[in-house]
């Protein structure tokens, strides 16, 4: 299923807490317009803003990360590894 020109969110968190944080790569298959990343444990301001990328490296540890996608064409088959 494809969605286009929408804003939506994806929450990523580790299944088990790892110290130090573990780095994962999220591949989208296609370039995404805007991706804003938030750490909800530190506030409401974004920690990173990315444009026109098809993958990102994230450090996941003891808190979730919220990814907000804007003006993107999303293939719902995300590959996380």
């Amino acid at each position: 299923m494809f969605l286009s020109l929408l804003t939506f969110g994806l929450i990523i968190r580790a299944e088990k807490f790892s110290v130090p944080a573990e780095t994962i790569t999220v591949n989208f298959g296609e370039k995404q317009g805007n991706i804003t990343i938030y750490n909800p444990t530190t506030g409401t301001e974004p920690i990173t803003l990315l444009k026109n990328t098809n993958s990102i490296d994230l450090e996941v540890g003891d808190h979730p990360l919220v990814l907000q996608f804007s003006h993107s064409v999303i293939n719902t088959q995300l590959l996380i590894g």
Side-chain angles (χ1 to χ4, degrees):
M1 179 175 148
F2 289 91
L3 304 174
S4 63
L5 298 178
L6 297 175
T7 299
F8 73 96
L10 173 67
I11 298 172
I12 295 180
R13 68 171 193 79
E15 288 188 18
K16 60 180 180 177
F17 298 132
S18 57
V19 178
E22 180 180 352
T23 301
I24 64 167
T25 300
V26 181
N27 296 300
F28 303 108
E30 297 181 29
K31 285 191 177 181
Q32 303 305 307
N34 299 316
I35 303 171
T36 307
I37 303 174
Y38 299 88
N39 176 347
T41 64
T42 61
T44 59
E45 294 298 316
I47 58 172
T48 305
L49 176 61
L50 303 168
K51 293 180 181 253
N52 299 318
T53 187
N54 61 354
S55 70
I56 55 175
D57 292 326
L58 298 172
E59 292 206 13
V60 292
D62 62 350
H63 60 275
L65 294 173
V66 178
L67 283 62
Q68 177 181 330
F69 298 85
S70 302
H71 307 292
S72 299
V73 175
I74 301 296
N75 179 340
T76 57
Q77 296 179 353
L78 299 178
L79 302 174
I80 300 175

